[in-house]
Amino acid sequence: MEKERVKCLIIGSGPAGYTAAIYTSRANLNPVLYEGMQPGGQLTTTSEIENFPGYPEGVGGFDIMDDMKNQALRFNADIRDGFVESVDFSVRPFNVVVEGVKEIEADTVIIATGASAKYLGLEDEKKYAGMGVSACATCDGFFYRKKTVAVVGGGDTACEEAVYLSGLAKEVYMIVRKDYLRASQVMQDRVMNKENIHVLFNTNTVGLFGENGVEGAHLVKFKGTPQEEKLDIAIDGFFLAIGHTPNTGFLNGQIQLDENGYIVTEGASTKTNIPGVFAAGDVADPHYRQAISAAGMGCRAAIDAERYLTDNNLK
C-alpha cells in the first residue's frame, strides 16, 4: 500500500473542512484534505443560502462551497477526491487508510465529516429535494413566509422547528406518528400555545405531490388499524425533523462520542479525547448545525492543530 506522511490531515469537505484547510494552509502546515462521499457536504443540497455573511444577494449551496474550496486551493491546500476508510489513533503518527489503497501517516487530524439528516425513506423526498423538502428550518424557513408548511417529528427538535416556522409561515402542521409528543414539557407547551400550529397525531406521511415543487402531502391516520384514514393536506414546504446521524462510523469507537454519536470536544476548543485529533462542524455540533458556525469551528480546529504541532515540536 502506498504511504505518505503529512503534518495535518483534514477529513471532510463542508464549511468546517474547507475553512480548516484555508487556515492550516496559511499557517504553512501543507494540509491534505479528503473530500469524502459528498464533496461540499450537506450545503450542496440547499438551493439558496441567504444567511451566510458576505453574500447580500444570497448564494447557491454549490457556489458557496466552490468559493470556499477555491480559497483553500489559492493557499495551496492539497484537496483530493476519496474517502477515509479507517483510522488508527493508537499509534503516532496517526495511521489513516484511504479507500484501501493509500496509507496516510498524520501528525494531526481534523475530523469534519458532518452529519446526515434522517429521512422517511420516501422516493418523493428525493424527487422534491431543494424543491420544498428541507431538513433545516433555520436555513430555509425564510422562503416560506406567509405560506403553509409541515414538520415531521414529535421530539424537541421538531417542536423547535415548528415554533420557529410559526413565526414566518401562515400555517404549520406537525405530523406525528404517535399519539403524543416526545418533546420536553416546555416545548410541548410552546407548540400548543401557537394558534397557527396544528398537530396531527397518529399520522404518517406516505408521499408528496406537486408539479414544480411540493404542493401537498399524502397522509394516513391510524395506519394499519381498522380506523385507518387517508387524507391529503396542501403545503408549500415539508421539513424533516426526525434527527441527524453524525458521520462517525469510520472512527470505530476510537473517539469519545456523546449518547447520540456526536464527537465530544473539550470545553470551547475542538480538542477530542485523543491529543492531536480535533473535530469541527456538524460532526461535533448537535445544537446549531449552521454553515457559519461550522466554518467557525473549522477555524478553531486549524488553530488548535497548529498550536499542538508547535507545542510538540512537530511543526
Side-chain angles (χ1 to χ4, degrees):
M1 191 181 297
E2 182 185 352
K3 291 190 177 184
E4 181 181 5
R5 177 73 178 267
V6 302
K7 290 180 183 178
C8 180
L9 176 68
I10 302 169
I11 307 174
S13 59
Y18 285 146
T19 302
I22 292 167
Y23 275 78
T24 50
S25 295
R26 295 183 76 250
N28 294 322
L29 301 187
N30 303 310
V32 170
L33 180 151
Y34 278 94
E35 292 188 297
M37 302 292 285
Q38 187 179 21
Q42 289 186 83
L43 218 59
T44 59
T45 65
T46 302
S47 57
E48 188 76 13
I49 299 160
E50 294 189 327
N51 57 0
F52 198 97
Y55 295 91
E57 302 302 321
V59 62
F62 279 105
D63 295 331
I64 193 173
M65 297 321 300
D66 274 345
D67 285 347
M68 287 189 185
K69 179 177 180 177
N70 288 331
Q71 189 170 355
L73 289 171
R74 176 190 166 205
F75 296 112
N76 298 315
D78 188 346
I79 298 176
R80 305 174 181 177
D81 293 331
F83 64 92
V84 169
E85 185 177 274
S86 63
V87 298
D88 185 354
F89 293 144
S90 68
V91 296
R92 304 280 172 155
F94 304 121
N95 183 274
V96 177
V97 176
V98 180
E99 297 188 18
V101 296
K102 191 175 185 70
E103 192 174 303
I104 305 283
E105 292 183 335
D107 293 319
T108 58
V109 174
I110 296 174
I111 303 167
T113 47
S116 301
K118 294 179 181 178
Y119 288 84
L120 298 174
L122 304 174
E123 281 300 315
D124 288 338
E125 289 171 316
K126 299 175 184 176
K127 177 180 177 181
Y128 295 107
M131 300 170 62
V133 172
S134 172
C136 180
T138 309
C139 307
D140 300 327
F142 183 79
F143 301 110
Y144 298 93
R145 289 171 297 170
K146 308 301 180 184
K147 295 184 178 181
T148 300
V149 299
V151 175
V152 179
D156 278 336
T157 298
C159 288
E160 288 172 7
E161 303 257 288
V163 171
Y164 174 80
L165 288 166
S166 71
L168 297 168
K170 176 180 68 175
E171 207 168 10
V172 179
Y173 291 102
M174 281 191 72
I175 302 172
V176 184
R177 63 187 179 88
K178 296 183 180 295
D179 61 357
Y180 60 90
L181 293 172
R182 294 181 292 104
S184 58
Q185 190 60 51
V186 64
M187 290 309 303
Q188 292 187 45
D189 292 342
R190 288 177 186 172
V191 165
M192 296 305 179
N193 288 332
K194 290 287 185 179
E195 292 184 358
N196 63 335
I197 297 179
H198 313 290
V199 184
L200 305 177
F201 290 111
N202 298 299
T203 304
N204 287 268
T205 305
V206 294
L208 302 170
F209 60 88
E211 289 297 321
N212 298 308
V214 171
E215 295 177 4
H218 300 301
L219 308 179
V220 176
K221 292 182 71 70
F222 303 106
K223 188 176 180 180
T225 73
Q227 292 80 36
E228 182 171 297
E229 174 191 354
K230 295 181 179 179
L231 69 152
D232 291 345
I233 57 171
I235 56 173
D236 303 290
F238 184 76
F239 289 84
L240 281 303
I242 53 178
H244 286 72
T245 302
N247 300 319
T248 55
F250 71 100
L251 298 172
N252 199 27
Q254 296 180 72
I255 292 288
Q256 183 183 354
L257 308 177
D258 70 11
E259 64 274 12
N260 295 311
Y262 289 87
I263 295 176
V264 174
T265 54
E266 183 182 308
S269 78
T270 61
K271 299 175 183 177
T272 70
N273 63 307
I274 305 292
V277 179
F278 308 92
D282 286 12
V283 74
D285 177 16
H287 303 293
Y288 299 104
R289 298 195 301 271
Q290 297 296 301
I292 189 65
S293 57
M297 286 188 78
C299 162
R300 289 191 281 130
I303 293 172
D304 287 341
E306 191 274 334
R307 288 176 178 168
Y308 173 85
L309 290 169
T310 299
D311 291 346
N312 288 276
N313 297 314
L314 295 170
K315 191 175 177 182

